[in-house]
Amino acid sequence: MSSNEMTGGEALARMLKAAGAGPMFGMGGFQLLPFYDAARRIGLDHNLINDERCAVFIADAYAKVSGRVGICDATLGPGATNLVTGLVEALNAGTPLVVFVGDSHRLHSWKNMTQESRQTEILRPACKELIRIEMVERIPELVRRAFQVATSGRPGPVVVDVPEDICHGTFPFDEAEFSIDESIARAPAIRCRPAADDLERAAEMLSGAKRPLMLCGGGVHISGAAEAAEALAHAINLPVAHTMTGKGAIACTDPLSAGLFGRYDRIANALIEESDCLLVVGCKLGEIATKRYTVPAADKTVIHLDNVAEEFGRTFQPTLRLWSDARAGLDDLRDALAADADAIRGRQQGYADEVASKMKGWRESVDARLTSTEQPINMARLLNELNKTMPADGILVADGGFAAHWGGLLYDTKEAGRGFVPDRGFASIGYGLPGAMGCALAAPGRPVVGLTGDGGFNMVMGELETARRLALPLTVIVVNNAASGYVKALQHLMYGTGNYQSSDLAEVNYAKVAESLGCTGIRVEDPEDIADALKAGITGKDGPTLIDVVVTRDPAKMLPGVDNRTVQAKKGDRVA
C-alpha cells in the first residue's frame, strides 16, 4: 500500500470524493482552509453560501430529492451556531446529512479564542450524532461512520466537529483508506422487513375491512416507497390520504387519492372517521397530521408501519405494529394479499368510486375560490394556476407557515413520487428559496418552483445572489401580503379585526429586488397574469426568476381554513 502525507483537511475532502458527494455549500474560516484548498484541487463541487442556515436547507432539499447524503460545512462559533435551525429540520424530517464544522485549536481551547463557544454542546441535541475528531489518522474511519449513521434507521444529520489542529495537521495516510461503500452513500442504507406473524395479521385485517384507508407520511418518500404505495393501492382499491410531507405517495390526481388529512383536509378526515381499518405508513402522527391529536379517534383500528420503533404509541396506540422499512413492508403486504387481490379489488370498487366522487364534489364546492378574479389575488387562485401550469415532473418547494398549508391542501402532484417538498421537520420559514436551490441541483432538468411568503423571503433573499451565481433555472414565488401572514391570521381569529401586533411588513416590490440582484423579476397584481408569469419562470433556463404575487391583505382570507388551535385557545388553552 502506498502512503501519502497530507493534511487532515485533504483527508476530509478525499473521503467526500470517495463517497461521490454532490454539490456542497459553506462559508469558510481559518479552521477549515486546508479542506477548502483540497476541495479546489481535487474537484469537489463546493460553493460559497451567504448564510450557514441556508447551506443546511440546500443540503436538506438536495438529499430529500436525490436520496443521497447532503453535505455542507461551517466555521467555528457563529458559523456553527447558525446551523442549528437547519439541523433540527433535517433531524425531525429524517434527512441524511453530513455536516463539517471547524473548531478551535485544542492547544488553545478555553483561552478566550476568537469566536469560540461550547458548540458541540449546542449542536449535539440538533443532530442524530455528533462525532468529534481527536486524531488526524482517524479521519477516514470517522467520516465513514458519519455516512453510515446518517443513512441508517431513520436517516438524519451527523455533525463532524474538526478542531483546527486536526484539519491543519498531517499524517501519512494509506491511499486504500479513502473508500466508502456505495451502500452507505444513500438512504436508507439498510432496510428491515416486518415479522411474518405481524405481516399475516395485517393482511387479514386489510382483506377483511370494508372501508380501509392508507395514511401516508413523509417516511414513504424517505424510503423511496411511492411506487410500492401506488401498487398496493391499485391492487386492492385502497384509497390513500397523506400528510404534507407524504403528498405524492400516490398522485394527487389518482382517483384513489383522498388528499390531505389532519388540520386542513378535503375529504380525508371524514373518510378516516368512517374507516374500519387504517394503514398508517411512515407517519409520526404529529400535531398537524392528527388535528392536534383528535384524528383518528382513539378507538380506531390502526396498523402502524414504521421503521422507527420509538414512534409506535407516541401519539396513538395502534392495534398492530409493523416494524419495517416502508417500501419493504408495502411490497410484502402486497405479496401477502396477492392471492385475494382481485376479489378484494372488485369488492372495494364501489368504495373507491365513492372516494373519487367525493373528491370531485369537493373540487366543485371550492371552484369559486380556485377561479376567483378578486384583487389582491386569492391564494386559492394562485395554487390553481400553479396546478394547471406545472409539468408532471415539476417540484414545488413550500416554505413554512401558510405557504406550506396552502400548498399542502391545494397543490396536486400529477405522478407518484417526491414532487412536493415542504420543510415540515421544523416548519421554519426561510426554506422556500434555498430549498428550491437544493431541488434544482438534485434534479437537473425538472422544473422547480419555490413558494415562500414575503417574511420568509426577507430572511434569505441574499441567497438569490448564490442562485444567480450558479445560474440555477428555478422560479421563486413570493406570496406578498405585506405581513407575517400566519401570525396575523391567527391574531385575527383570536382577537378580532384590527387587533394586530408586530405582524405587518412594509410594502415591497420584490420583482425589483430580484432585478437589482441580476435575476428576472415579474410582479403580478392581476390574477389573469399569473399563468403567463408562471410559464415564463418555469421555461426560463438562464437563472432564477422571482414572481412577486400581490395577494390578499385580509387576514380573514390568509389561511385555507380556521386553525383548530384557536378553538382550544379560546377555552383557555395555550396556543403553541
Side-chain angles (χ1 to χ4, degrees):
M1 292 188 293
S2 61
S3 63
N4 187 3
E5 186 88 16
M6 68 181 70
T7 65
E10 180 165 346
L12 293 172
R14 291 204 178 199
M15 286 302 292
L16 291 180
K17 188 80 170 179
M24 58 191 76
F25 291 83
M27 185 181 295
F30 179 77
Q31 290 71 25
L32 292 179
L33 283 186
F35 166 71
Y36 274 58
D37 181 62
R40 172 187 59 82
R41 288 187 285 104
I42 69 176
L44 290 179
D45 184 9
H46 190 284
N47 303 275
L48 173 65
I49 204 73
N50 287 303
D51 184 276
E52 291 88 353
R53 178 180 59 156
C54 291
V56 193
F57 283 161
I58 294 173
D60 176 85
Y62 173 85
K64 281 181 168 118
V65 170
S66 71
R68 301 191 64 83
V69 176
I71 312 289
C72 60
D73 65 84
T75 189
L76 86 167
T81 57
N82 277 348
L83 298 171
V84 171
T85 297
L87 286 173
V88 178
E89 165 64 36
L91 178 66
N92 291 352
T95 308
L97 305 181
V98 172
V99 181
F100 295 101
V101 181
D103 208 338
S104 59
H105 195 300
R106 291 176 300 167
L107 183 62
H108 306 303
S109 294
W110 314 122
K111 294 170 66 174
N112 296 324
M113 290 284 287
T114 302
Q115 297 187 315
E116 187 175 35
S117 69
R118 294 190 176 274
Q119 64 187 46
T120 56
E121 297 170 37
I122 294 168
L123 297 177
R124 181 61 192 90
C127 60
K128 185 177 179 183
E129 185 166 316
L130 188 145
I131 299 172
R132 180 173 165 90
I133 300 180
E134 300 280 3
M135 298 179 70
V136 180
E137 54 265 46
R138 293 193 67 189
I139 287 175
E141 167 206 346
L142 294 178
V143 172
R144 198 175 296 115
R145 166 74 180 173
F147 273 83
Q148 182 172 327
V149 172
T151 58
S152 60
R154 176 193 284 158
V158 177
V159 172
V160 180
D161 188 77
V162 187
E164 176 188 314
D165 53 304
I166 295 295
C167 195
H168 288 254
T170 63
F171 184 79
F173 290 97
D174 288 324
E175 293 289 344
E177 292 185 75
F178 298 110
S179 64
I180 291 184
D181 194 306
E182 171 65 20
S183 66
I184 64 170
R186 284 185 168 274
I190 301 173
R191 298 180 186 270
C192 58
R193 309 193 87 93
D197 290 347
D198 293 336
L199 183 67
E200 182 179 355
R201 185 181 173 198
E204 290 173 354
M205 291 168 67
L206 286 171
S207 64
K210 296 180 179 179
R211 298 182 68 87
L213 183 66
M214 179 157 48
L215 306 180
C216 290
V220 168
H221 295 305
I222 295 171
S223 171
E227 289 185 9
E230 185 179 52
L232 176 61
H234 290 169
I236 61 170
N237 265 331
L238 177 63
V240 179
H242 59 78
T243 64
M244 290 189 206
T245 54
K247 185 186 285 289
I250 65 171
C252 294
T253 53
D254 192 303
L256 288 170
S257 174
L260 189 69
F261 71 92
R263 180 180 294 173
Y264 304 115
D265 83 305
R266 303 184 184 186
I267 62 171
N269 288 358
L271 289 172
I272 290 171
E273 186 176 349
E274 297 164 359
S275 175
D276 56 350
C277 184
L278 298 168
L279 173 61
V280 178
V281 182
C283 178
K284 294 181 287 187
L285 294 173
E287 178 205 350
I288 292 177
T290 61
K291 199 173 181 181
R292 191 158 275 200
Y293 316 110
T294 61
V295 176
D299 61 350
K300 283 294 175 185
T301 298
V302 171
I303 304 166
H304 193 173
L305 191 162
D306 205 289
N307 77 331
V308 182
E310 291 81 0
E311 293 302 334
F312 296 137
R314 186 192 296 271
T315 66
F316 188 95
Q317 291 296 332
T319 310
L320 176 63
R321 297 163 173 81
L322 276 186
W323 187 18
S324 173
D325 166 77
R327 191 179 78 187
L330 289 171
D331 283 344
D332 286 354
L333 264 177
R334 183 161 56 92
D335 289 344
L337 291 163
D340 301 319
D342 290 344
I344 298 171
R345 185 171 62 253
R347 189 181 72 221
Q348 295 292 93
Q349 188 62 56
Y351 172 45
D353 292 343
E354 177 189 331
V355 170
S357 177
K358 286 182 175 180
M359 183 62 80
K360 180 183 177 183
W362 179 87
R363 294 182 194 278
E364 292 172 349
S365 73
V366 298
D367 184 70
R369 280 171 282 178
L370 296 176
T371 58
S372 169
T373 59
E374 67 186 76
Q375 295 186 40
I377 294 167
N378 189 301
M379 278 293 295
R381 174 67 185 271
L382 171 60
L383 267 296
N384 190 44
E385 294 297 333
L386 190 58
N387 276 334
K388 291 191 292 184
T389 306
M390 185 75 93
D393 64 342
I395 301 172
L396 178 65
V397 180
D399 210 327
F402 72 83
H405 294 286
W406 279 102
L409 179 64
L410 293 181
Y411 182 68
D412 287 329
T413 59
K414 300 175 179 69
E415 57 188 26
R418 179 102 72 170
F420 181 68
V421 182
D423 64 326
R424 300 314 299 174
F426 208 28
S428 168
I429 61 173
Y431 189 89
L433 171 57
M437 294 165 64
C439 291
L441 290 163
R446 291 179 65 181
V448 175
V449 175
L451 182 69
T452 182
D454 41 8
F457 182 70
N458 285 343
M459 289 183 173
V460 301
M461 68 171 68
E463 299 313 334
L464 206 54
E465 181 275 331
T466 310
R468 175 202 171 192
R469 186 174 2 113
L470 298 177
L472 294 177
L474 56 85
T475 303
V476 178
I477 300 172
V478 176
V479 178
N480 187 340
N481 58 12
S484 178
Y486 199 89
V487 173
K488 190 169 185 177
L490 291 178
Q491 288 178 341
H492 177 80
L493 290 168
M494 289 288 297
Y495 308 115
T497 302
N499 296 305
Y500 312 124
Q501 174 62 46
S502 304
S503 56
D504 288 311
L505 297 169
E507 290 281 355
V508 176
N509 186 323
Y510 290 99
K512 291 184 177 179
V513 172
E515 290 170 357
S516 71
L517 287 167
C519 302
T520 300
I522 304 172
R523 187 170 173 89
V524 177
E525 300 181 49
D526 187 331
E528 300 303 320
D529 296 333
I530 297 173
D532 287 342
L534 289 174
K535 289 173 185 174
I538 290 172
T539 59
K541 302 298 180 185
D542 297 326
T545 297
L546 183 146
I547 304 175
D548 181 23
V549 183
V550 180
V551 299
T552 183
R553 266 64 176 157
D554 182 353
K557 297 180 179 179
M558 287 181 179
L559 293 180
V562 175
D563 191 301
N564 65 289
R565 296 177 299 179
T566 62
V567 176
Q568 296 177 348
K570 288 177 180 178
K571 293 178 181 178
D573 292 348
R574 177 179 178 271
V575 175

